[in-house]
Amino acid sequence: MAVNWLGLLSMAVFYAIVLGTGIWASRKAKHEEKKCTGNRSEVVMVGGRNLNIWISIFTMTATWVAGGYVLGNAEVVYNPTKGLVWAIGPIAFSLNLLFGGLFFVKPIRAKNYVTLMDPFQEKYGNTIAAVLFIPALLADILWVACILSALGGTVSIVMDIHSSLAVAISAAVAIIYTLMGGMYSVAYTDVIQLCFVFVGLWLCVPFILTSPSSANVTVAAVTKLYQDPWIGKLELENAGRWIDDFLLLSIGGLCYQAFYQRVLSTATDAQAKITCYAGAVLCPILGIPSLIIGAVAASTNWNQTTFGTPSPYEQGKAGMILPIALQHLCPFYVSLIGMGALAAAVMSSADSALLSAASQLGRNIFKNIIYKQASEKTIVVVVKVSIFLCGLIGAGMAMTTTSVSLFWIVSADVLYSMLTPQVTCTFFLSQWVNHYGACSGFVLALVLRALVGEPQLGLPDVLPLPWDKIQEDGHRFRLFPFRTAIMLITTGTIVLVSRLALWLSEKKLLKRISDAQTDANNIENMVPLQTDVKENERLN
């Protein structure tokens, strides 16, 4: 198969449009910086807290409708061992944004925080917050690696080029426009990217449905034609895994800095909530095309297509079923548009993760811990350097490992098992917890997750759990919802250890602590960002 030059040209045009939009938005960001009477770094991190409500809706939705979301929906429906009943992404993501709007908007905006780590530094101090920052940073970088790896594998199939080249070009484009304009470039390119996703995928649906190689989709939903029915089934013994996956997607996303970055970029609490609710409606709508494509792929006689036999599933390519379906079930020019939509979905999340990690590195690590006298200009420079380095690391990881699921498992587990309890306790149980409980919960979550094991990481499954099944290779197949169990145990540990530590301090068996005293001391450690006005006064 020769290199698809026309396909490469179409992708180049798409990247040029996105890059041009990012550059235009960076000029708008500079204009906002000149008008800004507060912190210049906030223009980079949260758009000066003045993003247009429509732009906010687009960027919130685009961040969630990522390459993994689009590819994953199609894969799960197509996979004969799962099916539609396991395609929980659209509903779970919708609930995630709904929960965020109902319960998390007000706490994060109450004190004009800039990042998710701000309340942790205020509550526990810089040292403990820095430790809790590690899983958040790791998750963002792995998120970048995951979606870039997915794009690389996809483009290599359709364009017949090496996946590393696709990863490098996509990462370079995302890094460049994020460096130039920060939140403004990310938000405005998200508008273009979301339009590509919506138009591109929905345009492909009629052609996919009318493919002569595919049987009636409604019949294949309940009847075994070329593989098991794509509607799928949920056995009672698998209910625990289904619940675990559903809660992970429904709650785990509330620990992403990218979510709070968009919540904080709006002017009012009401606008922030509207952004969440609108995203909750749009996410399932944008997930429907990939579900349909997965269903049609499951209803297709692949021997009658240019793909041939064995089928994609039999060749171990179920994860790439969406681009395979676009290539072999759609006219050539339509498949190019679909590929552009997929690339848009990937880049819309890659830039968000880069800015997310860089904002916390620049503000919470560099400004509040390493160099407290840093000027606004210095902070912006550190943020931009961090964007470049995080992008470089993520792209490097995507090039060296082809396992998208590996990155997904680690990033998702890190956030759900380790950070969800910390975020919940800090926002809603602040008067009941202290740094003793936070540290104990962090260590316990880490130990429990390591003991449960993960074969893909080489971690032995030491800890036996209820309903385990021993596989032929000796590994345990977990049916128990262990991620949710770890999350709940960690939450309880944080509260109980905090109460115990307070009781011991009252008995003078431990250094005296109190929530009010701890919070007051740590607020002093939160060095306020130097505004442009203050900086100019100092220079004059």
Side-chain angles (χ1 to χ4, degrees):
M1 181 177 173
V3 174
N4 188 339
W5 292 107
L6 189 59
L8 289 177
L9 178 62
S10 66
M11 294 293 287
V13 171
F14 162 73
Y15 282 138
I17 293 173
V18 172
L19 185 59
T21 304
I23 293 173
W24 172 81
S26 69
R27 294 182 178 178
K28 182 174 179 62
K30 291 178 181 178
H31 180 66
E32 289 295 323
E33 283 185 13
K34 293 178 182 178
K35 296 193 303 181
C36 182
T37 58
N39 303 319
R40 289 172 57 191
S41 60
E42 287 193 10
V43 176
V44 175
M45 298 181 194
V46 290
R49 304 182 192 274
N50 195 35
L51 276 188
N52 178 281
I53 181 65
W54 295 107
I55 301 298
S56 297
I57 291 172
F58 271 92
T59 187
M60 177 70 84
T61 307
T63 301
W64 256 241
V65 182
Y69 177 78
V70 174
L71 287 171
N73 286 334
E75 176 188 358
V76 172
V77 176
Y78 169 70
N79 191 327
T81 65
K82 292 186 177 180
L84 181 64
V85 71
W86 286 89
I88 56 181
I91 298 175
F93 278 26
S94 180
L95 287 176
N96 185 284
L97 291 171
L98 187 62
F99 292 153
L102 288 173
F103 304 113
F104 289 85
V105 165
K106 189 173 181 180
I108 195 69
R109 291 181 58 90
K111 297 183 180 179
N112 285 328
Y113 293 128
V114 179
T115 72
L116 178 58
M117 287 296 107
D118 282 356
F120 288 97
Q121 283 187 313
E122 182 181 280
K123 178 67 184 176
Y124 303 124
N126 290 331
T127 303
I128 295 174
V131 174
L132 296 176
F133 169 71
I134 295 173
L137 175 63
L138 180 64
D140 277 334
I141 294 177
L142 289 172
W143 189 11
V144 173
C146 175
I147 52 186
L148 286 178
S149 179
L151 178 64
T154 299
V155 174
S156 66
I157 289 176
V158 178
M159 306 299 176
D160 196 32
I161 62 173
H162 199 280
S163 61
S164 295
L165 179 60
V167 169
I169 295 173
S170 302
V173 172
I175 290 172
I176 289 171
Y177 69 71
T178 307
L179 275 174
M180 295 183 68
M183 187 63 190
Y184 269 97
S185 287
V186 170
Y188 278 88
T189 52
D190 279 347
V191 174
I192 299 296
Q193 289 156 354
L194 196 64
C195 290
F196 267 102
V197 172
F198 182 82
V199 175
L201 290 182
W202 275 109
L203 179 64
C204 294
V205 167
F207 294 95
I208 291 277
L209 287 171
T210 56
S211 171
S213 304
S214 303
N216 189 303
V217 177
T218 56
V219 174
V222 294
T223 306
K224 183 175 182 178
L225 297 178
Y226 308 111
Q227 65 178 53
D228 289 337
W230 59 261
I231 198 73
K233 57 183 177 180
L234 178 61
E235 302 287 353
L236 182 60
E237 66 175 11
N238 292 319
R241 287 181 65 87
W242 191 94
I243 292 171
D244 207 25
D245 291 346
F246 184 80
L247 291 177
L248 184 148
L249 293 178
S250 300
I251 301 174
L254 295 171
C255 299
Y256 273 113
Q257 159 67 9
F259 168 76
Y260 295 99
Q261 211 148 21
R262 278 135 191 82
V263 165
L264 292 167
S265 66
T266 57
T268 65
D269 289 4
Q271 288 183 2
K273 290 182 178 181
I274 291 173
T275 297
C276 293
Y277 300 150
V281 173
L282 291 174
C283 273
I285 295 174
L286 290 164
I288 293 174
S290 55
L291 295 176
I292 295 174
I293 293 172
V296 173
S299 312
T300 297
N301 182 354
W302 289 98
N303 192 36
Q304 295 181 1
T305 69
T306 52
F307 185 86
T309 55
S311 68
Y313 176 75
E314 292 169 330
Q315 293 187 31
K317 296 181 178 179
M320 294 292 110
I321 191 59
L322 191 143
I324 290 173
L326 292 178
Q327 183 181 17
H328 297 282
L329 302 181
C330 284
F332 174 69
Y333 295 102
V334 176
S335 69
L336 293 183
I337 297 174
M339 282 302 303
L342 185 56
V346 169
M347 293 179 65
S348 67
S349 290
D351 54 17
S352 300
L354 290 175
L355 185 61
S356 167
S359 298
Q360 293 180 101
L361 280 169
R363 174 175 169 83
N364 300 102
I365 302 300
F366 181 77
K367 172 65 179 179
N368 288 342
I369 298 177
I370 297 175
Y371 185 33
K372 297 182 179 180
Q373 286 74 41
S375 66
E376 285 293 289
K377 184 177 180 180
T378 304
I379 297 171
V380 172
V381 170
V382 171
V383 169
K384 291 185 176 183
V385 171
S386 300
I387 290 171
F388 176 76
L389 292 177
C390 290
L392 204 62
I393 295 171
M397 294 176 69
M399 291 178 188
T400 55
T401 305
T402 57
S403 176
V404 178
S405 60
L406 178 64
F407 295 131
W408 161 250
I409 288 170
V410 177
S411 61
D413 277 12
V414 160
L415 285 179
Y416 186 55
S417 302
M418 301 179 68
L419 272 189
T420 298
Q422 303 288 353
V423 171
T424 303
C425 289
T426 302
F427 280 163
F428 304 108
L429 302 172
S430 182
Q431 297 300 316
W432 292 82
V433 298
N434 52 50
H435 59 283
Y436 290 105
C439 291
S440 300
F442 182 86
V443 173
L444 179 65
L446 185 63
V447 170
L448 287 177
R449 188 61 188 91
L451 290 175
V452 169
E454 183 54 60
Q456 294 192 60
L457 294 177
L459 289 175
D461 40 17
V462 178
L463 185 65
L465 295 174
W467 315 329
D468 281 349
K469 281 187 174 181
I470 305 300
Q471 298 174 300
E472 293 181 359
D473 58 4
H475 291 299
R476 300 174 186 272
F477 183 72
R478 306 292 193 181
L479 295 173
F480 185 76
F482 64 90
R483 297 182 185 92
T484 301
I486 293 174
M487 185 269 291
L488 294 175
I489 292 171
T490 302
T491 303
T493 300
I494 294 172
V495 175
L496 290 176
V497 173
S498 296
R499 292 296 89 195
L500 177 62
L502 185 60
W503 180 79
L504 290 174
S505 70
E506 291 173 349
K507 299 294 183 180
K508 299 183 180 180
L509 298 174
L510 193 67
K511 181 181 177 182
R512 186 174 180 274
I513 58 172
S514 69
D515 288 342
Q517 181 183 359
T518 303
D519 291 346
N521 290 338
N522 290 332
I523 289 174
E524 295 176 2
N525 292 331
M526 286 282 291
V527 179
L529 290 173
Q530 191 173 25
T531 65
D532 293 341
V533 176
K534 292 180 181 178
E535 186 176 352
N536 291 334
E537 290 176 352
R538 178 177 63 81
L539 293 175
N540 293 331

